[in-house]
Amino acid sequence: MAPPGQMPPVPNREDISATWNYLQAGITRIMTDLEQGIDMQMYMGVYTAVHNFCTSQKSVGLTGPAMHSAHRGAHLLGEELYNNLITYLRQHLEALVDESKMHTEEALLSYYIKEWNRYTIAAKYIHHLFRYLNRHWVKREIDEGKKNIYDVYTLHLVQWRKVLFERVSQKVMEAVLKLVEKQRNGETIEHGQIKQVVDSFVSLGLDEADPSKSTLDVYRFHFERPFLSATSEFYQAESKQFVAENSVVEYMKKAESRLAEEEERVSMYLHQDIAVSLKRTCYVVLISDHMALLREEFQVLLDTDREEDMARMYRLLSRIPDGLEPLRRKFENHVRKAGLAAVQKVQSTEGDKLEPKVYVDALLEVHSQYQSLVKKAFNDEAEFTRSLDNACREFVNRNEVCRAASSKSPELLAKYTDVLLRKSSTSIEEADLERTLSQIMIVFRYIEDKDVFQKFYSRMLARRLVHSNSSSDDAETSMISKLKEAYPRT
């Protein structure tokens, strides 16, 4: 035997037993001692030995029933070399499995990553050195449809998966999850280790039907599945305790923070494939499981005008199916009550002498307040806008003032318009007038009996024109244009 680290002499090309011993020494050198480098003499020696093994005619040194076949030839020698390599890899990996038992947790992660990197780099070298086997025997076997035959690099991955991965992956994953839990608890970790484990698991996804293709099956089963399960357990426990000890608003802040952390975790060291599943898992345990609590708090936030906190609740509940619908209903009911209360207030103050301006301003103030809330807190969402419109339609047409006569709202709106468009000693600037007319149109759109408004408006318009009492022809034209746009029958 050659001394450690030194290759034995190149054997006779016809002695395939000695040729395998030589190849084994070369493979071992690459597998365990690559740091020392490979010189050209060794590279060419191993490459030539592979060629010699596959093309040997005498088959010196081999025994067994197959030797008595006159047709063994290069094809069977290729198979012999392939099987010898499998046996070698299995023995090598068995030794790594035994050694891995001496390590736990982060030390096991370091060991796994170190050996994985060493093994896959070596596999690339061996793949190149076994090019002759790949080009001839392996290619022919695959072309003939033989199963479980791979190029030499892929063979290394298959053996790693079968011999080492299936026995070590669970412990490796447990170590990963402990590391992630430390990070979730605020500790600094070496997340590069997890990234390398992820990459390893992904690399082991080989399509059995077509070895040239890869799948994420191994990664999804051995990494994603336990990762999502551990994530769910962690946040179930944390959120339950946090809600018991803190306000709902503080919990929402915590949930938003945790969701942002998990998104960052994906970009930092997880595979993009887990992004959607991880979000879905977090949404369930951080939002759906506490949905009733959040919805109860929404009324409190509305009553106390907590715009920022309502925006936070909107952002959270918008992430889950049907999360916002109960909020929209509560919002609509709240706005309706606010509008009715505003009208009742001016009615009780003004009584029968209720000024049209006071009435319309009360309606507009409520609309303006909650339209601003829809824009700022609810992302100007169409469904919340619809809830706002429904509520405004209710308190504009069915309020305390309208109780005496259903035509009261369109009448008061028309009278306020008349006040604005008539000449008076307190005429307003043209720009302010235009802005006020636009606001009147907001209320007009909610008026259900627009024909009543048209009747009052037309009568007052005629009076202004007969008495030459219009403050501005431009303003009159502008108002008529607005009405025609909103209500073509005008």
Side-chain angles (χ1 to χ4, degrees):
M1 287 293 290
Q6 185 179 329
M7 289 290 291
V10 180
N12 182 314
R13 64 170 289 141
E14 300 301 338
D15 187 345
I16 64 172
S17 177
T19 301
W20 169 248
N21 289 336
Y22 177 83
L23 281 174
Q24 190 169 244
I27 293 169
T28 301
R29 171 78 175 273
I30 294 167
M31 277 286 185
T32 60
D33 210 14
L34 195 56
E35 295 84 358
Q36 283 197 18
I38 302 176
D39 58 33
M40 185 55 69
Q41 185 180 356
M42 177 194 164
Y43 186 92
M44 291 308 299
V46 173
Y47 185 86
T48 303
V50 170
H51 177 271
N52 291 347
F53 193 106
C54 292
T55 57
S56 171
Q57 296 302 310
K58 293 184 179 178
S59 308
V60 177
L62 279 181
T63 58
M67 276 309 303
H68 301 294
S69 167
H71 304 288
R72 180 174 176 89
H75 179 74
L76 293 178
L77 288 167
E79 182 177 4
E80 186 76 30
L81 178 57
Y82 189 82
N83 289 333
N84 282 354
L85 182 58
I86 289 176
T87 302
Y88 176 89
L89 292 176
R90 284 178 177 165
Q91 289 171 350
H92 175 77
L93 290 165
E94 287 286 356
L96 295 186
V97 170
D98 289 341
E99 197 175 336
S100 74
K101 293 171 184 174
M102 295 165 17
H103 305 284
T104 58
E105 298 185 5
E106 287 183 56
L108 176 61
L109 277 188
S110 297
Y111 176 79
Y112 179 88
I113 292 162
K114 181 188 76 176
E115 294 303 332
W116 165 257
N117 288 336
R118 189 205 299 264
Y119 183 83
T120 49
I121 291 169
K124 288 173 185 172
Y125 278 89
I126 296 166
H127 178 79
H128 284 295
L129 289 166
F130 277 62
R131 273 200 300 263
Y132 189 86
L133 184 70
N134 281 328
R135 279 202 308 262
H136 296 277
W137 185 81
V138 170
K139 183 179 183 301
R140 185 165 59 250
E141 292 290 293
I142 292 173
D143 289 347
E144 290 175 2
K146 298 286 178 61
K147 299 296 183 186
N148 303 318
I149 302 294
Y150 312 95
D151 66 64
V152 170
Y153 180 77
T154 306
L155 178 66
H156 280 71
L157 299 183
V158 168
Q159 292 306 316
W160 177 279
R161 191 171 79 187
K162 285 182 177 176
V163 179
L164 184 141
F165 182 80
E166 289 182 3
R167 287 148 72 185
V168 173
S169 63
Q170 187 176 344
K171 282 194 168 70
V172 168
M173 199 57 210
E174 286 169 4
V176 165
L177 295 176
K178 282 189 178 178
L179 212 53
V180 173
E181 186 170 345
K182 282 183 178 180
Q183 189 183 41
R184 284 176 175 150
N185 286 325
E187 295 184 42
T188 302
I189 64 164
E190 179 48 65
H191 56 74
Q193 285 190 319
I194 303 175
K195 179 78 172 78
Q196 290 185 76
V197 168
V198 168
D199 291 343
S200 164
F201 283 32
V202 169
S203 297
L204 294 171
L206 306 166
D207 188 337
E208 296 294 337
D210 184 356
S212 66
K213 294 179 182 175
S214 61
T215 75
L216 290 171
D217 293 350
V218 171
Y219 159 78
R220 284 174 181 154
F221 185 83
H222 292 280
F223 190 97
E224 276 195 17
R225 201 171 54 94
F227 189 93
L228 294 173
S229 177
T231 299
S232 181
E233 286 176 23
F234 179 86
Y235 285 128
Q236 272 179 341
E238 183 187 69
S239 61
K240 186 178 178 183
Q241 184 178 349
F242 195 92
V243 162
E245 297 171 356
N246 296 273
S247 69
V248 174
V249 168
E250 286 306 308
Y251 174 72
M252 288 196 298
K253 291 176 184 176
K254 180 74 170 177
E256 275 201 320
S257 170
R258 284 306 203 183
L259 291 171
E261 284 173 23
E262 293 304 321
E263 280 192 26
E264 188 181 356
R265 200 159 275 122
V266 172
S267 60
M268 202 181 295
Y269 56 75
L270 298 177
H271 191 280
Q272 196 59 39
D273 182 69
I274 203 175
V276 173
S277 303
L278 182 57
K279 276 184 184 179
R280 198 178 293 126
T281 298
C282 291
Y283 291 170
V284 170
V285 290
L286 292 173
I287 305 172
S288 296
D289 288 355
H290 303 282
M291 197 153 49
L293 192 68
L294 296 177
R295 287 169 174 171
E296 283 172 22
E297 186 72 10
F298 184 64
Q299 189 60 55
V300 176
L301 301 180
L302 275 172
D303 293 339
T304 51
D305 298 324
R306 302 276 289 278
E307 186 181 291
E308 189 180 334
D309 294 325
M310 281 188 273
R312 186 172 283 112
M313 186 175 290
Y314 172 84
R315 287 195 299 270
L316 286 172
L317 290 175
S318 66
R319 300 173 194 234
I320 58 174
D322 304 318
L324 293 170
E325 189 52 39
L327 268 58
R328 296 186 193 111
R329 289 198 296 270
K330 285 190 176 188
F331 174 71
E332 182 177 326
N333 192 44
H334 180 83
V335 175
R336 183 180 62 81
K337 285 181 177 177
L340 293 174
V343 172
Q344 189 167 22
K345 185 179 177 184
V346 296
Q347 165 74 353
S348 61
T349 305
E350 302 285 326
D352 294 336
K353 298 177 180 177
L354 179 60
E355 290 286 333
K357 180 182 187 305
V358 173
Y359 177 72
V360 174
D361 281 351
L363 300 178
L364 283 168
E365 188 177 343
V366 174
H367 175 271
S368 175
Q369 177 186 346
Y370 290 104
Q371 185 183 49
S372 173
L373 184 64
V374 168
K375 285 181 177 176
K376 293 177 181 175
F378 308 137
N379 199 32
D380 210 9
E381 190 211 61
E383 293 300 319
F384 267 98
T385 300
R386 186 175 289 115
S387 296
L388 173 65
D389 290 342
N390 291 341
C392 290
R393 199 171 292 110
E394 279 295 308
F395 72 70
V396 165
N397 294 287
R398 282 169 282 282
N399 57 49
E400 191 70 26
V401 171
C402 297
R403 189 170 293 175
S406 62
S407 62
K408 208 66 182 168
S409 262
E411 180 187 343
L412 287 169
L413 187 63
K415 286 181 176 178
Y416 182 37
T417 309
D418 183 54
V419 170
L420 288 168
L421 293 173
R422 275 203 324 258
K423 282 180 184 174
S424 70
S425 57
T426 56
S427 294
I428 61 175
E429 292 290 328
E430 198 166 321
D432 291 336
L433 176 58
E434 181 64 25
R435 190 160 43 249
T436 308
L437 292 177
S438 294
Q439 288 184 313
I440 280 179
M441 292 307 300
I442 292 172
V443 180
F444 175 77
R445 287 187 177 93
Y446 293 124
I447 294 286
E448 287 176 347
D449 201 343
K450 290 181 171 61
D451 287 342
V452 173
F453 174 89
Q454 184 184 8
K455 185 178 74 175
F456 279 104
Y457 178 80
S458 299
R459 191 185 303 157
M460 293 170 187
L461 171 61
R463 194 182 300 143
R464 289 195 303 276
L465 294 176
V466 167
H467 297 288
S468 300
N469 203 20
S470 289
S471 62
S472 160
D473 288 345
D474 288 345
E476 292 285 7
T477 304
S478 173
M479 187 63 191
I480 291 169
S481 175
K482 285 179 171 61
L483 288 168
K484 280 185 176 176
E485 186 182 334
Y487 188 55
R489 288 170 57 187
T490 304

